[in-house]
Amino acid sequence: MTWIDFANLLINGLIEGLVVALPALAMTLVMGVNRFPNAATGDLLTTGAYAAVAVQMLGGVPLWLAALASVATTAAVSAGSYQLIFRKLAGRPMVASMLAAIGLGFLLRSLISFFAGHDQRTFDMPLVRAWNFGGIRILPTDLLIAAIAAACLLVVFVLIYRTSFGRQLRAVADSADLARASGIRAGGLMLCLWLLVGALSSISGVLLGMKAIVTPEMGWESLIPAFAAMVLGGIGSPLGAVLGALLLCVVQELSVPLLGPSYKLVLSFLVLALVLLLRPAGILGRVQLVR
Amino acid sequence: MIAYLCAIGIVALIYCLLALGLNLQFGLTRLVNFGVVAFFAVGAYTSGLLSLQGVPLVVCFIAAGVLSGLLALPIGLLSLRLRDDYLAIVTLGFSEAVRITIQQESWLTKGVQGLPGLPKLFAGWGGGLSDVAIFTVLAVIVGLVCWGTVRLTRSPFGRLLKAIGDDEAALSALGKDPARFKVQVFMLGAALAGVAGAFYAHFITFITPEQFIPLITFYVWMGLVMGGSGSVRGAMFGSLLLMVFLEGSRFAKDWVPGVSEVGMASLRLAAVGLALILVTLYRPHGLFGGKAK
């Protein structure tokens, strides 16, 4: 492998990492606040991608507009699922929420495949030629994807660390009882959180669809990588989720010449298991979240 | 008709065996195993591959149980350090990793093409009779496992397991080491799933990686949670309910016109999803009650 191949894989890994960072961030937010891994995150991502496909099939709708519509739809689905399911499971064993999340994932995915079938779909967008810098190839689309993902991450970080919404969210994450005692009303806050989670998932779904193809299984396949990224960075740490996603995806890409692309998910699993064995708190996590 | 009932009975008993294994892990010890299908798959492939080499079936079945059990050892050790939600995702990831490995390593497993022509159990007895024989043997094994589980629950070891599930910290404070028992139970449950896999392989006689998707795991979960986890009766009843659901949805296709085979598969998946949501929301101790935990 020459250094040019290496650079190409590195760039690809970073772009993918930025996209995976979005669901990883969504998962880590729910994990930090509602204390369960939302296994439906992947299928919310699929919902987002298909919502955009559906809007585009109406005809003549530009992708950005379809993406906005999909963000609204998926955020509503996500907030609705909190209101109808997960709100009622708070305080019950974590397994209950997890099982319900798996059930919700199945439900979303099967409704999609029932109405849209199992065929691969793509977004309606112009084909562009890759820029070539002496062997280092960069697709303008990929650059756009990376920029959008980075912008979304920036917006979320501003929301979490610079607004009263974020302050309250972090207060609830630290101690729900203390937050309630100091007058934070959890109801509206949780709905906002789940709207945000839906929006993040939907954007990553559209970006993944722009990068490759849209299938009913796409979100499920990104569940384990997103979880691995979250654990790698440290549960409950938003910055950790992003760092974890970047690191994981770069490692995955660099392993492709050795293992082939099919073993990406297996590698995610191995990274996940190793991190949990060696440093369960992750890169930036707090230890007390792990037994 | 009798052949059909027999076939359904065999599949139901295979799910029973899986549910009993999961009941040991989750129902008794609260180990959240979302990767049941991995051990099922390893059992099926171990026994299938060995039998194609001419190894006697009895040895194949034992090897399936032993290998699945051994494979659970590292996951069991990992589980000692993990909270249940982490273990859930790790086992889920593990089952997908196993499925992809089976799919990719075609030098061993023939990849997506699968393994056709596996020897059928009791093939020498002739078509109808061999199914009856398989059913009988499975029923005896399931009965033994039920009996063993009940015995286990009432033994000091069983009380220890229950205590692990209820309050591990208190148990450690009493000077007991829960770690060894957790790993043992995890391995035992996995071994049962492996044997179930071997039965599946030598009943269906054709296995492919596609038969071992995570949905199977959640079928078993659905059955156990519906029946009421923690009790043998719950596991048995849940598996029966699951079978009614799986077979019933097959017939439902005749009543709902205009739905294709693929569409029906989607609807079935939707029903599993909905069932998991509704049961956890409204019937956390199973459809027919059971004592609160």
Side-chain angles (χ1 to χ4, degrees):
Chain A
M1 191 168 73
T2 64
W3 72 272
I4 288 184
D5 297 332
F6 180 81
N8 275 325
L9 289 172
L10 187 71
I11 291 170
N12 215 15
L14 286 174
I15 293 166
E16 247 173 54
L18 281 170
V19 179
V20 170
L22 300 176
L25 191 55
M27 270 180 115
T28 213
L29 284 173
V30 170
M31 188 76 185
V33 176
N34 301 98
R35 309 260 181 236
F36 74 94
N38 184 5
T41 309
D43 296 293
L44 278 174
L45 184 157
T46 317
T47 308
Y50 271 92
V53 167
V55 173
Q56 276 218 315
M57 276 169 68
L58 296 176
V61 183
L63 186 55
W64 65 268
L65 198 63
L68 277 186
S70 130
V71 166
T73 315
T74 316
V77 170
S78 163
S81 73
Y82 173 72
Q83 198 64 17
L84 290 175
I85 305 169
F86 301 114
R87 187 172 59 95
K88 297 175 178 166
L89 293 175
R92 292 252 302 274
M94 198 154 357
V95 187
S97 295
M98 274 215 73
L99 266 184
I102 294 264
L104 175 67
F106 278 173
L107 189 59
L108 290 175
R109 205 183 330 153
S110 56
L111 288 179
I112 289 168
S113 60
F114 182 70
F115 288 110
H118 286 272
D119 299 340
Q120 302 176 350
R121 294 178 186 263
T122 48
F123 289 122
D124 187 11
M125 53 184 198
L127 276 175
V128 282
R129 190 185 280 267
W131 294 321
N132 197 329
F133 303 101
I136 298 178
R137 295 157 45 82
I138 298 179
L139 270 169
T141 320
D142 278 359
L143 218 54
L144 180 68
I145 289 169
I148 295 173
C152 289
L153 292 174
L154 197 68
V155 169
V156 176
F157 277 100
V158 169
L159 272 176
I160 296 176
Y161 291 107
R162 286 282 178 274
T163 64
S164 91
F165 162 71
R167 255 193 308 281
Q168 293 181 15
L169 210 57
R170 280 179 291 140
V172 176
D174 271 349
S175 161
D177 291 335
L178 201 62
R180 203 177 312 117
S182 37
I184 293 175
R185 274 190 294 183
L189 191 68
M190 287 301 118
L191 273 188
C192 291
L193 170 69
W194 283 77
L195 284 171
L196 179 66
V197 162
L200 274 175
S201 311
S202 134
I203 294 169
S204 67
V206 173
L207 293 181
L208 270 180
M210 283 169 69
K211 198 163 163 45
I213 46 168
V214 176
T215 69
E217 303 288 325
M218 64 187 286
W220 177 255
E221 280 157 14
S222 62
L223 177 68
I224 304 293
F227 190 83
M230 166 175 106
V231 170
L232 184 58
I235 304 272
S237 159
L239 189 61
V242 177
L243 286 179
L246 288 174
L247 200 62
L248 179 76
C249 288
V250 166
V251 169
Q252 273 187 347
E253 279 299 310
L254 293 183
S255 76
V256 166
L258 297 171
L259 299 173
S262 314
Y263 273 110
K264 273 186 180 177
L265 197 145
V266 179
L267 198 75
S268 288
F269 165 73
L270 289 178
V271 168
L272 175 62
L274 271 182
V275 173
L276 287 171
L277 270 181
L278 302 176
R279 191 178 156 70
I283 302 171
L284 297 177
R286 292 166 301 176
V287 187
Q288 76 262 26
L289 284 170
V290 186
R291 184 184 276 159
Chain B
M1 189 63 194
I2 289 174
Y4 171 71
L5 281 179
C6 206
I8 292 183
I10 290 169
V11 177
L13 284 172
I14 288 174
Y15 272 111
C16 259
L17 211 50
L18 289 171
L20 285 168
L22 182 62
N23 184 49
L24 282 176
Q25 295 167 337
F26 175 70
L28 238 51
T29 325
R30 299 278 128 185
L31 289 167
V32 185
N33 180 7
F34 273 8
V36 175
V37 72
F39 305 103
F40 187 54
V42 168
Y45 266 90
T46 304
S47 190
L49 285 168
L50 283 178
S51 69
L52 287 180
Q53 299 298 317
V55 178
L57 282 184
V58 179
V59 182
C60 295
F61 272 67
I62 295 172
V66 169
L67 203 69
S68 304
L70 284 181
L71 201 67
L73 180 62
I75 305 283
L77 288 174
L78 198 60
S79 81
L80 301 177
R81 310 183 43 141
L82 302 182
R83 277 189 338 194
D84 43 5
D85 47 338
Y86 291 62
L87 181 62
I89 298 268
V90 166
T91 46
L92 182 62
F94 175 70
S95 75
E96 283 290 77
V98 165
R99 186 175 61 87
I100 288 173
T101 310
I102 289 175
Q103 202 170 300
Q104 291 303 313
E105 299 302 317
S106 42
W107 58 272
L108 180 68
T109 62
K110 299 242 179 70
V112 284
Q113 293 171 347
L115 296 177
L118 300 179
K120 185 156 183 169
L121 210 52
F122 304 112
W125 296 28
L129 220 54
S130 76
D131 276 6
V132 175
I134 295 176
F135 180 84
T136 314
V137 170
L138 253 171
V140 169
I141 290 181
V142 166
L144 279 176
V145 174
C146 282
W147 177 76
T149 311
V150 172
R151 280 293 301 269
L152 192 74
T153 327
R154 290 181 187 153
S155 72
F157 181 68
R159 287 199 293 275
L160 207 66
L161 295 181
K162 266 225 161 82
I164 294 176
D166 289 341
D167 191 346
E168 198 180 330
L171 195 70
S172 310
L174 288 173
K176 304 271 186 201
D177 176 25
R180 233 181 63 222
F181 303 112
K182 278 169 93 169
V183 176
Q184 284 173 359
V185 160
F186 202 82
M187 290 175 72
L188 190 60
L192 285 181
V195 173
F199 270 106
Y200 180 77
H202 297 290
F203 168 60
I204 304 279
T205 69
F206 174 45
I207 49 175
T208 70
E210 259 173 50
Q211 291 161 334
F212 302 104
I213 51 177
L215 182 62
I216 304 296
T217 298
F218 294 102
Y219 277 152
V220 181
W221 269 91
M222 187 179 117
L224 186 65
V225 175
M226 273 190 160
S229 70
S231 74
V232 168
R233 221 183 314 157
M236 300 291 288
F237 183 75
S239 312
L240 206 68
L241 215 60
L242 176 73
M243 222 46 229
V244 172
F245 164 77
L246 289 179
E247 286 305 309
S249 61
R250 185 169 299 176
F251 287 115
K253 197 176 66 206
D254 302 336
W255 305 331
V256 194
V259 175
S260 65
E261 194 81 34
V262 182
M264 204 57 221
S266 294
L267 285 184
R268 201 190 275 191
L269 185 67
V272 174
L274 204 59
L276 283 175
I277 295 174
L278 292 178
V279 169
T280 45
L281 269 179
Y282 299 110
R283 281 280 179 272
H285 305 298
L287 275 186
F288 292 84
K291 54 185 185 296
K293 277 211 166 148

